[in-house]
Amino acid sequence: DNNNNYENSEAVLVAQKEVPALGHKAGELITVKEPTLTETGLMQRECTVCHEVIYYEIIDKLGPVTYELSTNEAYYIASAYSTDIEGEIEIVANYRGLPVTHIKQDAFRDCLNITKVVIPDSIITIGHSAFNGCSSLVSVDIGNNVTSIQGYAFNGCSSITRVVIPNSVTTIGNYAFSDCSSLTSVVIPDSVTSIGDYAFSNCSSLTSVVIPD
């Protein structure tokens, strides 16, 4: 009968309980694939509950400029990928959501084949010897928020013909533009309060210098 069938069955009765759905809980944004010169990289954020990827961001291929995160993780510092880079170089103002504010010491030193550099308004400091020995560099566009051009920054840039220093710069370091043998014209704004020793030494073609009153 029905009762015997029930008693002899192997059925297990399970009590049912409604469980509320859990929302995603965002984890840290991590780099899972570093970019290369030929391939993009990948950053992603997983849910710490279910481990589903809830956000991802493509990282651009490496270009001629690399960007190093500051120790306080507040900004990036620019430098050359290698001394073999060539042609026109443009430093970006923002990288991975943070400003690029510094050009590293020796950043582009002895990059013999770069011809033009565009420095964005985000840059505050051009580091010591940043472009030292860039003998093919003809043109430099310096951003309007640079406050310090450190020593030897453009030393030996023998192809530069003209430099316009923006009205944000307060300090030009020692030998900053020394041995720029093709330099014919320099404009120094009123904002500059300190010019280091031999800042324009051996600029044998220099015919025009505009300095603060």
Side-chain angles (χ1 to χ4, degrees):
D1 59 16
N2 290 338
N3 288 334
N4 289 335
N5 289 337
Y6 176 75
E7 291 173 356
N8 294 329
S9 71
E10 296 180 355
V12 178
L13 298 178
V14 179
Q16 294 182 341
K17 181 181 179 181
E18 185 175 349
V19 178
L22 295 175
H24 286 309
K25 185 175 181 181
E28 293 183 2
L29 185 64
I30 60 173
T31 301
V32 295
K33 180 185 176 186
E34 292 288 348
T36 67
L37 288 173
T38 57
E39 296 183 349
T40 58
L42 177 66
M43 299 177 73
Q44 67 183 33
R45 191 191 306 276
E46 292 185 354
C47 171
T48 59
V49 178
C50 67
H51 302 293
E52 179 182 346
V53 176
I54 56 177
Y55 173 81
Y56 72 91
E57 182 178 325
I58 302 298
I59 307 172
D60 290 338
K61 298 176 186 178
L62 292 177
V65 182
T66 61
Y67 300 94
E68 175 186 342
L69 187 61
S70 63
T71 53
N72 65 356
E73 299 185 351
Y75 58 87
Y76 277 94
I77 305 163
S79 61
Y81 178 74
S82 79
T83 56
D84 295 330
I85 62 174
E86 59 185 22
E88 297 185 5
I89 305 300
E90 183 171 357
I91 299 170
V92 300
N94 291 276
Y95 185 74
R96 296 187 184 181
L98 292 174
V100 179
T101 59
H102 292 65
I103 298 176
K104 192 175 183 178
Q105 176 176 324
D106 298 318
F108 296 86
R109 184 170 187 155
D110 295 328
C111 290
L112 303 180
N113 296 313
I114 61 174
T115 58
K116 179 179 179 178
V117 174
V118 178
I119 298 172
D121 290 345
S122 63
I123 295 293
I124 298 170
T125 301
I126 300 175
H128 190 281
S129 293
F131 298 93
N132 193 340
C134 295
S135 55
S136 298
L137 186 59
V138 175
S139 174
V140 179
D141 294 342
I142 301 176
N144 291 322
N145 287 307
V146 171
T147 60
S148 176
I149 300 174
Q150 295 186 356
Y152 293 86
F154 295 94
N155 174 66
C157 293
S158 54
S159 297
I160 289 181
T161 59
R162 184 170 183 266
V163 172
V164 177
I165 298 169
N167 201 34
S168 54
V169 173
T170 59
T171 303
I172 299 173
N174 298 339
Y175 295 92
F177 294 92
S178 62
D179 294 310
C180 293
S181 56
S182 297
L183 186 63
T184 61
S185 174
V186 176
V187 177
I188 300 173
D190 292 340
S191 60
V192 173
T193 58
S194 174
I195 300 176
D197 294 338
Y198 305 102
F200 296 93
S201 65
N202 296 325
C203 293
S204 54
S205 300
L206 193 58
T207 58
S208 173
V209 179
V210 178
I211 60 176
D213 296 334

